[in-house]
């Protein structure tokens, strides 16, 4: 068996040596400009089958000569590879797309999904016209019939990203329309690209169904073409003048954005603040959802703020006229909020003074003892200096 | 006689063949050379054979012979219907049903059914029927129309068949050969010229190429038909 294989192999090997191609190989080494013979030319040289000889009368009959044809063929450069951008003309509509003539052997196919960046589910006729000439990108290799698939969407996608990157350089605010809403935020269409707006960056409202179709001013948060990440912010685009005025003890309106086991996130003057569960009411709160709902407008007091990190600590406990009102009757709390706050602040002030006085008394008492010890410099007359 | 010159043929891409490894060696005499791994057809022969086909078609048209155009591929579908209507010939541009010619007797009953349904549609019978029946009949009408619209009015077998993609319409070619109907066909580099009576070597994948060749043939038919 092995012997047979070897013997059948050898004649092939020898015939290869005796063919004229080796001599031409030698000559190619001497004359590097010689044209390489294609497989077809080699077959033609050895062909012994029936040949069709074309007489010169045929050329006259047909109206053109072989030399003209030859020149034309030599002039053509046929290369259609994947990711090439070629010019083409739409020739006819077809089911699921349209047929495009790009000068290749077979007419290329443009699927409906690849015809436009923004998919509205419309028909192919509305997106592109017959005999329209534009650039297409080849997105597939030739199939068994030699047909390629082309796309307009890829080109538009790249152009859209270039525009977006340019916009980010200038960092200017722009308008965009919301197309869908999900748990984390909303999706906006920017230049045909889908950009994500996180819920925490949306001012003045919650990401809910009403947002779809609305146009809002936005600025870019993150633009990353390689990872296909495009994040925008409404908060950055909206001017926040109230930020500078906020201080401890202010009573302001807030919008409940989200509920967590440990409290609620409330948006206050463009910044996000935390209303801790222990700070909502004097009484213990069993079920947070019964008291607060996302989207609810409430009044709250700022008890602490960290401008550096952009964090605010809020409280409604201090606004309760009677302890437990937040659970029983929140409306009453909001109505009397300013009043209650004023009372609370006065009480705080009064308590602070009392604490100061008692501290003074202690120090005074200490002062007598210290006098007994013999340090007569620290007399009660210099109490203020001691306390300051 | 609608003549085509070199510029038109080149612009339509008639000389492009399939990739070199996909050829049928029987097409060797019609291939000019190989460039960029694809075969280039010999346009001088193409033009000559097109002329020969035109003269044959002219003679047949003057003798009042009927023509059947067959082309079911995506690129050819719309062109075939349009060109056949231009010269009042029959055509098949969706799937060639098996036995369309060899089992003509049965197919004829289907065309009769198509005609009755169309008549019913015109008369408004569908409005009198219950909704479900009407929709069933409409669906049947659509299906019949899709496949048989081109041969609706064919009363007997055609005299000449003009076929676009030989590899795809192999059933049609076999039926025509069985019945002795002469075949004119566009041959690509992967086709078999022995199966066809009058070959026209050319590109059968590009819309422009098919349109150019068919245009030439239908013009000839129109000119030579005795009115």
């Amino acid at each position: 068996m092995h012997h047979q294989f070897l013997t059948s192999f050898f004649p092939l090997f020898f015939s290869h040596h005796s063919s004229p191609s080796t001599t031409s190989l030698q000559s190619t080494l001497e004359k590097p400009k010689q044209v390489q013979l294609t497989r077809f030319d080699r077959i033609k040289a050895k062909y012994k089958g029936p040949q069709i000889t074309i007489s010169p009368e045929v050329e006259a009959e047909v109206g053109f000569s072989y030399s003209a044809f030859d020149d034309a063929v030599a002039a053509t450069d046929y290369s259609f590879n994947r990711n090439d951008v070629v010019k083409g003309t739409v020739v006819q509509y077809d089911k699921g797309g349209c047929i495009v003539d790009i000068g290749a052997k077979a007419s290329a196919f443009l699927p409906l999904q690849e015809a436009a960046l923004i998919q509205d589910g419309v028909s192919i006729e509305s997106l592109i016209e017959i005999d329209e000439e534009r650039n297409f990108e080849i997105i597939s290799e030739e199939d068994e019939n030699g047909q390629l698939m082309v796309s307009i969407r890829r080109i538009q996608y790249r152009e859209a990203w270039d525009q977006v990157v340019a916009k980010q350089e200038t960092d200017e605010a722009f308008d965009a329309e919301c197309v869908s809403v999900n748990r984390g935020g909303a999706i906006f269409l920017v230049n045909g690209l889908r950009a994500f707006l996180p819920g925490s960056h949306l001012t003045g409202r919650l990401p809910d169904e009403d947002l779809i179709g609305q146009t809002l001013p936005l600025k870019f948060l993150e633009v990353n073409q390689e990872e296909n990440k495009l994040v925008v912010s409404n908060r950055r685009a909206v001017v926040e003048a109230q930020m500078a005025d906020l201080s401890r003890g202010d009573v302001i309106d807030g919008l409940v954005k989200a509920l967590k086991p440990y409290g609620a996130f409330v948006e206050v003057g463009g910044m996000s603040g935390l209303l801790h569960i222990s700070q909502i009411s004097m009484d213990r709160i069993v079920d947070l959802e019964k008291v607060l709902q996302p989207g609810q407008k409430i009044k709250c007091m700022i008890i602490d703020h960290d401008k550096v990190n952009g964090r605010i600590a809020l409280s409604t406990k201090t606004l309760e006229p009677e302890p437990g009102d937040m659970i029983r009757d929140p409306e009453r709390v909001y109505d009397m909020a300013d009043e209650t706050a004023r009372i609370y602040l006065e009480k705080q002030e009064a308590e602070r003074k009392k604490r100061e006085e008692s501290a003074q008394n202690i120090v005074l008492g200490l002062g007598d003892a210290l006098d007994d010890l013999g340090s007569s410099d620290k007399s009660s007359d210099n109490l203020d200096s001691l306390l300051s | 006689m609608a003549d085509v010159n070199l510029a038109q043929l080149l612009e339509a891409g008639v000389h492009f063949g399939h990739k070199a490894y996909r050829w049928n060696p029987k097409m060797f005499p019609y291939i000019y050379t190989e460039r960029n791994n694809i075969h280039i057809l010999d346009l001088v022969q193409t033009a000559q054979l097109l002329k020969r086909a035109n003269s044959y078609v002219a003679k047949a048209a003057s003798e009042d012979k009927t023509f059947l155009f067959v082309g079911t591929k995506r690129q050819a579908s719309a062109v075939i219907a349009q060109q056949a209507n231009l010269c009042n010939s029959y055509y098949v541009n969706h799937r060639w049903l098996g036995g369309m010619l060899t089992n003509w007797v049965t197919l004829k009953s289907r065309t009769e059914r198509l005609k009755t349904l169309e008549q019913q549609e015109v008369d408004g019978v569908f409005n009198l029927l219950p909704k479900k029946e009407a929709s069933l009949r409409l669906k049947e009408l659509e299906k019949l129309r899709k496949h048989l619209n081109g041969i609706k009015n064919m009363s007997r077998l055609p005299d000449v068949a003009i076929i676009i993609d030989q590899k795809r319409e192999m059933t049609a070619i076999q039926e025509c050969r069985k019945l002795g109907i002469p075949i004119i066909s566009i041959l690509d580099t992967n086709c078999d010229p022995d199966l066809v009576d009058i070959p026209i070597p050319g590109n059968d994948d590009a819309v422009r190429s098919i349109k150019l060749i068919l245009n030439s043939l239908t013009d000839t038919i129109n000119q030579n038909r005795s009115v």
Side-chain angles (χ1 to χ4, degrees), chain A residues 97-336:
Chain A
C98 66
I99 298 182
V100 176
D101 176 34
I102 56 173
K105 187 237 190 274
S107 308
F109 183 64
L110 173 71
L112 177 60
Q113 296 97 297
E114 296 285 340
L117 193 53
I118 303 163
Q119 294 300 321
D120 284 337
V122 296
S123 64
I124 190 77
E125 284 88 358
S126 57
L127 289 170
I128 200 162
E129 303 276 314
I130 301 253
D131 288 335
E132 190 179 328
E133 193 182 321
R134 48 196 298 184
N135 282 337
F136 297 92
E137 180 177 332
I138 300 174
I139 57 170
S140 79
E141 301 287 354
E142 288 187 7
D143 65 358
E144 69 252 3
N145 296 322
Q147 186 167 53
L148 303 158
M149 280 218 282
V150 289
S151 163
I152 301 177
R153 200 172 72 97
R154 297 259 176 109
I155 300 176
Q156 288 181 337
Y157 183 80
R158 270 203 295 271
E159 280 172 12
W161 266 107
D162 290 337
Q163 284 173 4
V164 159
V165 169
K167 261 198 197 150
Q168 196 207 14
E169 302 280 311
T170 60
D171 199 28
E172 58 185 37
F174 54 90
D175 288 330
E177 191 186 329
C178 177
V179 286
S180 78
V181 163
N182 59 32
R183 217 179 112 228
I187 307 271
F188 280 75
L189 264 188
V190 176
N191 269 51
L193 298 171
R194 294 163 71 85
F196 179 64
L197 174 74
S200 54
H201 279 263
L202 180 62
T203 59
R205 56 199 300 172
L206 280 177
D208 53 13
E209 296 290 316
D210 298 335
L211 192 57
I212 297 179
Q214 302 265 343
T215 306
L216 294 177
L218 303 168
K219 271 194 184 175
F220 288 113
L221 266 187
E222 184 182 344
V223 173
N224 189 340
Q225 189 170 359
E226 289 89 49
E227 292 179 34
N228 198 11
K229 272 198 183 140
L230 191 58
V231 185
V232 291
S233 165
N234 177 233
R235 194 191 287 179
R236 275 193 70 210
V238 172
V239 176
E240 297 144 359
Q242 309 109 309
M243 268 316 301
D245 312 327
L246 294 176
S247 56
R248 280 197 194 90
D250 284 354
V251 175
I252 41 170
D253 294 318
L255 178 73
V256 178
K257 289 299 282 279
L259 296 180
K260 292 272 194 253
Y262 50 86
F265 278 97
V266 180
E267 188 185 298
V268 153
M271 283 220 306
S272 192
L274 174 64
L275 177 61
H276 196 266
I277 195 167
S278 60
Q279 291 289 334
I280 297 178
S281 174
M282 296 286 186
D283 280 351
R284 180 165 164 267
I285 293 200
V286 181
D287 194 357
L288 186 57
E289 279 182 354
K290 286 222 181 84
V291 185
L292 293 175
Q293 283 292 317
Q296 198 178 353
K297 285 205 169 64
I298 62 169
K299 279 193 197 265
C300 44
M301 179 192 284
I302 299 176
I303 47 177
D304 196 5
H305 65 87
D306 182 357
K307 283 214 173 95
V308 174
N309 288 327
R311 286 206 273 259
I312 314 177
L314 301 163
S315 171
T316 50
K317 192 157 78 170
T318 53
L319 303 175
E320 284 182 329
E322 269 157 54
D325 264 344
M326 273 302 286
I327 304 171
R328 281 193 302 265
D329 188 3
E331 287 303 316
R332 185 155 167 250
V333 178
Y334 302 141
D335 290 337
M336 301 187 57

Side-chain angles (χ1 to χ4, degrees), chain A residues 40 44 47 54 61-62 66 69-70 72-74 76 78 91-92 94 101 105-107 143-145 147, chain B residues 10 16-18 22 28 31-32 34-36 41-43 45 47 51 74-75 188 203 205-208:
Chain A
F40 183 77
K44 199 165 185 173
Y47 191 68
I54 307 294
E61 183 196 339
V62 155
Y66 264 112
F69 178 46
D70 204 17
V73 168
T76 55
Y78 189 91
V91 188
Q92 67 185 43
D94 194 28
D101 176 34
K105 187 237 190 274
S107 308
D143 65 358
E144 69 252 3
N145 296 322
Q147 186 167 53
Chain B
L10 284 170
F16 288 131
H18 278 281
R22 247 204 263 274
F28 172 77
I31 297 176
Y32 184 64
E34 178 186 327
R35 268 185 89 77
N36 296 109
L41 291 160
D42 187 355
L43 280 185
Q45 290 188 56
K51 252 187 152 65
R74 212 181 222 167
Q75 292 99 321
D188 212 331
N203 185 5
D205 280 316
V207 176
R208 284 175 79 175

Side-chain angles (χ1 to χ4, degrees), chain B residues 3 40 50 57 71 95 112-113 122 134 189 197 219 222 225:
Chain B
D3 273 343
I40 307 283
L50 185 57
V57 158
R95 189 178 70 92
E112 298 296 319
R113 175 81 179 148
V122 165
T189 51
D197 299 308
D219 281 346
N222 276 334
R225 266 239 171 94

Side-chain angles (χ1 to χ4, degrees), chain B residues 18-38:
Chain B
H18 278 281
K19 281 214 148 57
Y21 65 86
R22 247 204 263 274
W23 76 324
N24 186 336
K26 285 191 188 176
M27 288 294 290
F28 172 77
Y30 302 111
I31 297 176
Y32 184 64
T33 181
E34 178 186 327
R35 268 185 89 77
N36 296 109
N37 227 5
I38 58 160

